[in-house]
Amino acid sequence: MANVLWMHGGACNGNTQSFLNAEEPTVIDLITDFGINILYHHSLSMEFGDQVHRLFDQILNDEVPLDIFVFEGTVIQGPNGTGHYDMLFDRPKKDWILEFAKKAQYVVAVGDCACWGGIPATKPNPSESTGLQYLKEERGGFLGSHFRSKAGLPVINIPGCPIHPDWVSQVLVAVATGRVGDVQLDDLQRPQTFFKTFTHSGCTRNQFFEWKEPVEEFGQGTRKGCLFYEQGCRGPMTRSSCNRILWNRQSSKTRAGMPCIGCTEPQFPYFDLAPGTVFKTQKVLGSIPKEVPTGTDPLSYSVNAAMARTVAPKLAKEDMFVP
Ligand code: SF4
Ligand code: SF4
């Protein structure tokens, strides 16, 4: 049995909505088969008001053990560091968050906002939002870079806008069944199982990427062409398993004709790009992509691209059948 407290800060609740669609395992499986005991969840629990306040006090008084503290949304610190923009039971919510993080065996940040601050922490950041242990790509965030939960781990970051539901449910299972030692984190504290490879891995448009065959229109429903060249797809620069663990066990953005917008990376939503051009590949000198796949540089990439385009076989221009 693992006691879970799930709280939210500055959030749209999208990660909760996504989590409810988990399939392997489902949320019901988590409770009935894997011993997850949800002490409180802001949207799902029946308790409210004094009942919740009493539970919070019991956790902080060590009367109820807290195994996993799940946090969704940003920590709101405004105005001027007081946290008064986001109050809970007459206290700034940030104070509750700090105390629960110190009590928990494990702390799990769910979604971009909790991991890095996400959209609310984008400049000028009027709510003074931050992620639990990062502010964008800078380590520290609300809890500080040296924070470790009682079990000795930093915050486990599960980014996404929203998260893929199975990323969360499988991490919760690993913690609840004592297999958290198997959860290796990358240098941004993300579980490697889900974030070691790029979104590009497993994309059905890979053959078009190889031969530099673009898809011309955004959202084009056919499986012809790659979204990197004109539509700004960030699949080769973004760590996620979206094309390996399909959404709803059926599809992914790129399979459906939507470019990856890089939502699992701390720089998301990339508002430093020119406004209105998120779905448009930025170019230099007219044709060279400004950002190229991780591990290469624009010049050598462009030389390679020009050669590939010249020798592309017939199949590079054919529609692909994807069931
Ligand atoms: S559409 Fe994106 S993820 Fe798919 S092959 Fe092209 S660049 Fe890679
Ligand atoms: S495809 Fe890219 S933008 Fe879409 S959910 Fe996956 S990582 Fe995020």
Side-chain angles (χ1 to χ4, degrees):
M1 168 93 76
N3 282 346
V4 175
L5 173 66
W6 186 312
M7 276 181 80
H8 76 136
C12 67
N13 219 35
N15 295 296
T16 286
Q17 305 305 320
S18 186
F19 174 63
L20 291 174
N21 289 304
E23 290 185 65
E24 290 185 17
T26 67
V27 176
I28 303 297
D29 293 338
L30 284 176
I31 295 167
T32 58
D33 297 348
F34 293 100
I36 293 289
N37 178 36
I38 299 183
L39 295 170
Y40 176 70
H41 182 293
H42 55 274
S43 298
L44 308 178
S45 294
M46 300 292 283
E47 295 83 2
F48 61 95
D50 288 345
Q51 295 164 305
V52 180
H53 198 171
R54 203 172 313 122
L55 169 69
F56 283 10
D57 286 341
Q58 287 173 324
I59 294 172
L60 297 185
N61 293 332
D62 295 321
E63 293 163 37
V64 174
L66 179 57
D67 298 299
I68 312 173
F69 177 44
V70 179
F71 187 66
E72 168 180 6
T74 62
V75 182
I76 293 179
Q77 304 175 107
N80 304 317
T82 62
H84 288 168
Y85 281 154
D86 190 15
M87 301 289 287
L88 181 65
F89 302 132
D90 294 328
R91 296 178 70 196
K93 199 184 283 176
K94 71 182 180 69
D95 294 352
W96 291 105
I97 295 165
L98 181 62
E99 292 181 358
F100 288 137
K102 287 181 180 169
K103 285 284 173 197
Q105 292 295 329
Y106 300 97
V107 178
V108 180
V110 162
D112 276 10
C113 296
C115 294
W116 342 109
I119 292 173
T122 300
K123 285 178 184 166
N125 191 1
S127 59
E128 297 169 35
S129 276
T130 183
L132 279 179
Q133 211 167 6
Y134 280 82
L135 176 56
K136 299 296 178 182
E137 58 269 58
E138 192 179 323
R139 200 185 295 259
F142 178 63
L143 295 173
S145 54
H146 297 298
F147 170 83
R148 296 291 179 272
S149 64
K150 273 190 165 170
L153 286 186
V155 173
I156 299 173
N157 284 331
I158 308 180
C161 194
I163 43 96
H164 188 305
D166 294 357
W167 299 343
V168 175
S169 60
Q170 291 182 24
V171 166
L172 291 183
V173 166
V175 174
T177 57
R179 290 186 296 106
V180 72
D182 299 342
V183 179
Q184 302 292 322
L185 303 179
D186 71 6
D187 55 1
L188 290 169
Q189 299 167 203
R190 303 175 292 194
Q192 291 193 17
T193 317
F194 306 117
F195 298 100
K196 189 164 187 175
T197 57
F198 291 94
T199 313
H200 186 73
S201 295
C203 179
T204 50
R205 297 171 187 268
N206 260 312
Q207 74 182 57
F208 304 114
F209 176 83
E210 295 304 328
W211 299 110
K212 321 303 170 200
E213 181 67 21
V215 62
E216 297 298 341
E217 290 173 35
F218 170 72
Q220 199 167 314
T222 70
R223 304 302 202 274
K224 184 177 171 180
C226 168
L227 298 146
F228 177 75
Y229 301 103
E230 300 298 335
Q231 318 301 331
C233 184
R234 305 191 64 86
M237 295 88 92
T238 301
R239 306 263 179 190
S240 90
S241 47
C242 293
N243 276 309
R244 290 192 290 112
I245 305 173
L246 298 182
W247 288 70
N248 300 322
R249 290 289 176 275
Q250 293 202 10
S251 196
S252 69
K253 279 182 188 156
T254 58
R255 286 173 193 228
M258 156 81 185
C260 170
I261 53 174
C263 81
T264 53
E265 298 294 337
Q267 296 86 355
F268 178 82
Y270 301 96
F271 282 165
D272 51 336
L273 295 175
T277 55
V278 171
F279 297 127
K280 189 163 172 42
T281 303
Q282 301 293 293
K283 308 265 180 74
V284 288
L285 301 177
S287 63
I288 303 176
K290 196 169 158 192
E291 287 185 274
V292 290
T294 303
T296 185
D297 63 86
L299 187 59
S300 30
Y301 179 79
S302 298
V303 171
N304 174 42
M307 284 172 61
R309 222 172 262 129
T310 310
V311 298
K314 187 165 167 281
L315 66 84
K317 301 198 178 298
E318 286 178 353
D319 253 3
M320 224 170 85
F321 174 72
V322 177

